[in-house]
């Protein structure tokens, strides 16, 4: 994909980048390790952790950012956010939300119960693809009776080339640790997933001192309660230096309005592999004659094609506003 088609790692398309610091400006180099609304924790290069706040109401700072802090008494002012090598966004018609920055991997967690949410998974995979961030899928709660059916559903993603690991965090914690150790070693990994899939339990397993709160699934709604209200970055004990985990709030929606149609199409491995095979070079893969996904129904599953067409309609309707 042409780099010019990608959204800025600083802000979604259409928004200006922050101004760089004035020449000769001095400050404290740090990494954001906690985000609580507009209040942050930053770890200095010497390991000290201090409270800090951004300058200006529209300043966007996220966990994983490298920043320059003004010396003084906490909370220190964030003078500048260094250029990001990547950032994971979601955007709907009402607001943009950056999850985290400077990531090596996304660990996208789903669970046998309350069930595989293919729409959310598909959207998150596309967002990560647009940001050039590798994704590993984790199927949690594999000790439950629904495991066999969920495993069959997840075969869709392994068939597309995504790594899928199976976990039972509550009943087989040691096996879960062993499955994830090589994956997380030396990496900055964002733990991402819908509420109720066991992200907080997984964080508590990987970082025992984190003591992230966990709650039972709401039986009435078959959805998790939002137990994580902040994003935190933790060093992973027992793993090499540089092995860190970000725990993010659970989400129930994932807009992709910050992407272009080209990025959307490249975010589907099935579509990416068939570029140039349709009758028309600018085929939108909806109802054009000679579209490869019409002539070859095996090229993409019906559910994935429906997701693509839904997302295409969202992007094009947003662009026409």
């Amino acid at each position: 994909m042409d780099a010019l088609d990608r959204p800025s790692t600083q802000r979604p398309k259409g928004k200006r980048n922050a101004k760089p610091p004035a020449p000769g400006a001095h400050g404290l180099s740090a990494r954001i390790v906690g985000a609580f609304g507009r209040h942050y924790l930053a770890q200095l290069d010497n390991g000290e952790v201090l409270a800090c706040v951004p300058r200006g109401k529209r300043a966007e700072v996220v966990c994983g950012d490298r920043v320059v802090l003004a010396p003084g008494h906490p909370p220190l002012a964030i003078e500048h956010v260094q250029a990001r090598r990547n950032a994971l966004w979601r955007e709907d018609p009402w607001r943009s939300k950056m999850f985290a920055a400077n990531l090596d991997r996304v660990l996208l967690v789903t669970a046998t119960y309350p069930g595989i949410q293919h729409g959310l998974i598909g959207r998150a995979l596309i967002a990560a693809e647009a940001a050039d961030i590798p994704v590993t899928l984790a199927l949690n709660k594999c000790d439950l009776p629904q495991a066999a059916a969920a495993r069959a559903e997840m075969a869709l993603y392994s068939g597309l080339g995504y790594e899928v690991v199976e976990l039972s965090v509550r009943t087989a914690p040691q096996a879960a640790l062993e499955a994830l150790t090589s994956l997380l070693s030396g990496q900055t990994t964002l733990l991402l997933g819908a509420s109720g899939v066991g992200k907080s339990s997984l964080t508590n397993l990987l970082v025992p001192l984190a003591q992230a709160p966990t709650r039972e699934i709401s039986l009435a709604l078959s959805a998790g309660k939002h137990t994580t209200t902040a994003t935190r970055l933790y060093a992973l004990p027992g793993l090499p230096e540089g092995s860190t985990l970000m725990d993010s709030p659970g989400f129930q929606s994932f807009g992709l309005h910050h992407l272009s149609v080209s990025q959307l199409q490249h975010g589907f491995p099935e579509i990416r592999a068939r570029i140039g095979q349709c009758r028309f070079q600018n085929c939108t893969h909806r109802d054009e004659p000679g579209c490869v996904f019409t002539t070859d129904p095996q090229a993409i599953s019906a559910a994935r094609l429906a997701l693509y067409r839904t997302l295409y309609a969202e992007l094009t309707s947003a662009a026409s506003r």
Side-chain angles (χ1 to χ4, degrees):
M1 185 189 305
D2 190 334
L4 293 177
D5 287 336
R6 298 188 181 279
S8 165
T9 54
Q10 293 294 96
R11 294 172 183 266
K13 63 183 181 182
K15 298 185 180 181
R16 297 177 299 172
N17 290 337
K19 292 182 179 179
H26 298 285
L28 303 172
S29 177
R31 184 187 196 186
I32 299 297
V33 296
F36 311 85
R38 285 183 53 80
H39 295 82
Y40 300 88
L41 292 177
Q43 185 172 33
L44 304 183
D45 292 342
N46 65 7
E48 184 180 5
V49 177
L50 299 172
C52 57
V53 292
R55 289 193 186 277
K57 294 183 178 180
R58 296 179 61 84
E60 288 172 309
V61 184
V62 292
C63 221
D65 271 333
R66 294 291 308 185
V67 298
V68 176
L69 305 176
H73 297 286
L76 305 183
I78 300 172
E79 295 282 7
H80 174 61
V81 178
Q82 305 282 15
R84 302 174 177 116
R85 56 189 175 91
N86 59 45
L88 186 66
W89 291 91
R90 79 178 196 235
E91 180 175 322
D92 56 32
W94 304 278
R95 66 168 186 163
S96 297
K97 172 68 176 177
M98 195 193 314
F99 285 102
N102 302 317
L103 299 169
D104 296 307
R105 182 175 302 277
V106 170
L107 183 59
L108 181 56
V109 186
T110 188
T112 61
Y113 180 82
I116 312 301
Q117 296 177 281
H118 292 285
L120 290 179
I121 290 174
R123 289 167 180 263
L125 290 174
I126 294 164
E129 172 69 27
D132 277 330
I133 305 171
V135 180
T136 295
L137 289 152
L139 177 62
N140 191 24
K141 307 183 185 180
C142 288
D143 52 325
L144 297 181
Q146 298 92 335
R151 186 176 294 115
E153 290 186 56
M154 294 300 290
L156 166 66
Y157 303 104
S158 56
L160 293 173
Y162 295 103
E163 181 181 16
V164 179
V165 296
E166 296 186 6
L167 309 172
S168 299
V169 173
R170 286 188 179 272
T171 60
Q174 188 57 40
L177 284 174
E178 293 172 359
L180 294 174
T181 294
S182 61
L183 182 70
L184 302 176
S185 184
Q187 305 261 303
T188 295
T189 302
L190 174 67
L191 196 60
L192 189 67
S195 299
V197 297
K199 290 192 301 86
S200 293
S201 296
L202 184 53
T203 299
N204 289 338
L205 174 65
L206 295 168
V207 192
L209 295 180
Q211 296 182 342
T214 58
R215 296 179 183 173
E216 297 297 323
I217 299 294
S218 168
L219 295 178
L221 300 178
S222 291
K225 298 178 182 179
H226 292 272
T227 60
T228 306
T229 57
T231 303
R232 288 295 311 270
L233 184 149
Y234 305 100
L236 289 169
L239 295 186
E241 185 176 357
S243 305
T244 55
L245 182 76
M246 292 188 202
D247 183 28
S248 64
F251 61 89
Q252 301 293 5
S253 63
F254 204 118
L256 297 174
H257 289 223
H258 59 295
L259 302 185
S260 67
V261 169
S262 175
Q263 288 172 311
L264 172 64
Q265 293 175 343
H266 279 79
F268 282 81
E270 312 96 308
I271 296 176
R272 187 168 65 240
R274 297 298 188 108
I275 288 176
Q277 296 184 19
C278 294
R279 178 179 175 184
F280 300 109
Q281 188 170 357
N282 62 345
C283 185
T284 64
H285 314 305
R286 293 180 298 162
D287 52 12
E288 294 93 336
C291 175
V292 67
F293 300 109
T294 300
T295 59
D296 181 7
Q298 302 303 314
I300 189 172
S301 73
R304 292 274 291 173
L305 185 58
L307 174 62
Y308 163 76
R309 289 171 173 169
T310 295
L311 294 174
Y312 183 94
E314 290 179 7
L315 293 188
T316 53
S317 64
S320 64
R321 290 193 185 100

